Amino acid sequence: MKNVFTRTVIFIFVTFTILLLVACADEHMHNFSSGWTQDESNHWHICTGGECTETSEIFAHTFDDGQITVEPSEQGNGELTYTCTVCGYAKTEQIAFTGITEQQYIEMIKPENYDNCTITVTSPVLTFTTGATNTLVCQGNSTCVIEWDNDKIHLSLSYDMGDGKTISTNDFLELTEETKPMMQNAYQFFTQISYDRITYDAATQTYIVSGEFLVSQNDLMVQQYKDIVLTFKNGKVVAITGTLYGTLTNDSNISAGGSFSFTIDNFGTTAVTRPSEQE
């Protein structure tokens, strides 16, 4: 009986020792990777041995303050990227475009940006009024094309007066230091709009100008603008719509007004040459 008890105790002890050694062997056989495995919330090290699924050092990500990797613009939202400072995992957030900065606006409306371009002005309906009863209405397709090449301008003007009648001009102008600012003022009126008067409209990707403002044309005509909408692209104004009212300063009975639209393109590629004497 004593031998049976002794053998049982020895068996239990040996079995326990074997199990303990196996457990210890398993624990010390783990070989965890030096690199990190991650998901959107955490990072950790995995055991590289066989089919072992053990993990080590599971921690939540520690993100930096983020960097703008895609600048927002009128063409789409931007992107802000956050990177974990431990494992390098990156996540991104959308940055909604809320409009250009004041400094960007100042750069965009500099007059010299528009010294080489083509401006097409369309007035669907333009009304000239002289006195109380004498009114002249220009119908649709009334256009003015200004080809501006630094100190040279080609001006093409066509007004549809209705009933098959048109008024048109085809002029070449060579500007001087005195006349160039006056011509710039004639079509670059948007350079006089201050930044605090524009509001970005995300739905139309345009800028709405608040209120009304006046522009004096060579001391002959005072133009009043309202309902102005500006469109920017690649750092320049490329389209303008609104309503214009003008009054000759030396004759308060003569005025002109109506809706209009500008398109501005061919930046840096517009070429104007002086017509020959025969032309």
Side-chain angles (χ1 to χ4, degrees), residues 11-249:
F11 174 78
I12 293 173
F13 176 77
V14 170
T15 302
F16 177 78
T17 301
I18 292 172
L19 291 175
L20 182 62
L21 289 173
V22 170
C24 289
D26 283 346
E27 180 179 351
H28 291 290
M29 284 176 59
H30 288 307
N31 182 22
F32 291 103
S33 63
S34 59
W36 293 97
T37 299
Q38 63 267 109
D39 59 18
E40 63 182 17
S41 302
N42 305 301
H43 52 252
W44 59 89
H45 298 294
I46 61 172
C47 178
T48 60
E51 298 181 357
C52 180
T53 59
E54 290 295 319
T55 59
S56 173
E57 296 184 297
I58 302 176
F59 298 111
H61 292 307
T62 303
F63 289 105
D64 60 15
D65 294 332
Q67 290 187 333
I68 296 177
T69 48
V70 178
E71 290 285 349
S73 68
E74 286 90 349
Q75 284 67 53
N77 290 333
E79 195 173 84
L80 183 63
T81 300
Y82 297 94
T83 303
C84 177
T85 59
V86 177
C87 72
Y89 178 82
K91 67 176 183 179
T92 59
E93 291 182 358
Q94 294 269 300
I95 308 174
F97 181 69
T98 58
I100 56 177
T101 66
E102 183 171 8
Q103 186 57 42
Q104 288 174 321
Y105 181 70
I106 291 171
E107 292 297 320
M108 287 180 178
I109 64 172
K110 284 183 176 179
E112 55 264 34
N113 290 342
Y114 307 91
D115 281 353
N116 186 273
C117 61
T118 300
I119 306 100
T120 303
V121 186
T122 303
S123 301
V125 178
L126 189 62
T127 302
F128 295 92
T129 302
T130 57
T133 58
N134 188 359
T135 300
L136 185 63
V137 179
C138 294
Q139 307 300 319
N141 301 317
S142 300
T143 60
C144 174
V145 178
I146 305 170
E147 293 178 308
W148 182 291
D149 182 4
N150 295 299
D151 296 327
K152 300 182 293 295
I153 291 179
H154 178 221
L155 178 65
S156 302
L157 176 65
S158 176
Y159 281 138
D160 180 0
M161 309 305 297
D163 298 327
K165 299 177 182 179
T166 60
I167 298 176
S168 61
T169 62
N170 191 2
D171 296 325
F172 171 85
L173 304 175
E174 190 157 359
L175 303 177
T176 65
E177 290 300 317
E178 291 76 23
T179 58
K180 184 175 181 179
M182 292 187 291
M183 277 302 301
Q184 286 176 324
N185 188 49
Y187 79 90
Q188 294 178 5
F189 66 89
F190 55 85
T191 63
Q192 303 182 39
I193 301 173
S194 61
Y195 177 76
D196 58 3
R197 296 183 64 174
I198 66 171
T199 302
Y200 181 65
D201 180 25
T204 60
Q205 297 182 346
T206 59
Y207 293 81
I208 299 172
V209 181
S210 62
E212 302 179 0
F213 61 98
L214 302 178
V215 176
S216 176
Q217 294 283 358
N218 308 336
D219 295 325
L220 296 177
M221 173 80 77
V222 174
Q223 294 179 334
Q224 180 179 0
Y225 295 92
K226 66 178 183 178
D227 305 324
I228 302 298
V229 177
L230 306 175
T231 302
F232 294 98
K233 187 177 181 180
N234 298 327
K236 293 182 175 64
V237 177
V238 296
I240 310 167
T241 61
T243 304
L244 161 68
Y245 295 93
T247 302
L248 289 177
T249 57

